Amino acid sequence: MKKIIALVLVSLLALSGAAFAETLKMGTNAAFPPYEYYDDETGEIVGIDAEIADLICKKLGYDGVEIVDMDFSAIINAVVSGKVDFGMAGMTVTEERLQSVDFTTSYATGIQSVIVPEGSDITSVDDLFAEGANHKVGVQLGTTGDIYCSGDIEEAGLGTIERYNNGADAVVALVSGKIDCVVIDNQPAQKFVAANEGLKILETAYTEEDYAICLNKDSELTAQINEALEALIADGTVQSVIDKYITAE
Ligand code: ARG
């Protein structure tokens, strides 16, 4: 009898070991609060995406998520090459990205906003496109802000675009007067403005966007992650994670 119990225990352990001792790898760019950023105290990557990803992985029987920090512009390649299992980075669903990756159901919306120094001559987004405009606009390389500004401002001959590896670096350049404004998603914009003296967000903004998780095309994980994500949306978990980080202001 003892032997049987021991055997059962050992096989149960082996089974749960197989099911729980694994993680999924998520590619992100952790300079994008409140979606992903380093916690000052623990030094760990936290945020809306980090938490939702962890919940999804656990729902799928994994131990949790392993977060791999990289430049935003490297995430899609990391997903396509299999270096990470999925990308989650406040990433906007765009037609162009859909050519290389699949996206899940959207779990949040974002808005592209403009950060300026207080007292800036830029008082609305339209000032960036006005005849004769010539501003230095900071963006995060490879983001939708970069894509919009490259077309609407640079190609239109209305200014120059400075591309930074992450939003935090763009904000540092803005604070030091190297550039005139930063075009970035509204939630990180609010965090950056709160953390730096003398900056504000213009009331008018670029378009609204949908954030989703990206996966390798035809990945078996897409359906599973989608199912877990949709359940977490349906039972209000996703909203409560978002509220936890966004109502804090
Ligand atoms: N929503 C924008 C995009 O998809 C910016 C996302 C940047 N995310 C980040 N973690 N740095 O292009």
Side-chain angles (χ1 to χ4, degrees), residues 28-29 32 36 72 89-92 97 112 140 142-144 185 209 211:
T28 198
N29 168 250
F32 198 70
E36 43 268 333
F72 182 79
M91 188 182 284
T92 306
R97 291 172 183 164
Q112 292 298 313
Q140 318 165 83
T143 61
T144 48
D185 306 53
E209 316 182 311
Y211 292 167

Side-chain angles (χ1 to χ4, degrees), residues 27-33 35-36 49 69-73 75 88-94 97 103 110-112 140-147 165-167 184-185 188 209-211:
T28 198
N29 168 250
F32 198 70
Y35 287 91
E36 43 268 333
D49 288 342
D69 190 14
M70 59 185 78
D71 289 343
F72 182 79
S73 56
I75 298 173
M88 191 169 187
M91 188 182 284
T92 306
V93 180
T94 71
R97 291 172 183 164
F103 279 99
I111 296 169
Q112 292 298 313
Q140 318 165 83
L141 177 70
T143 61
T144 48
D146 183 5
I147 297 162
N165 277 336
N166 61 58
I184 190 166
D185 306 53
E209 316 182 311
D210 292 322
Y211 292 167

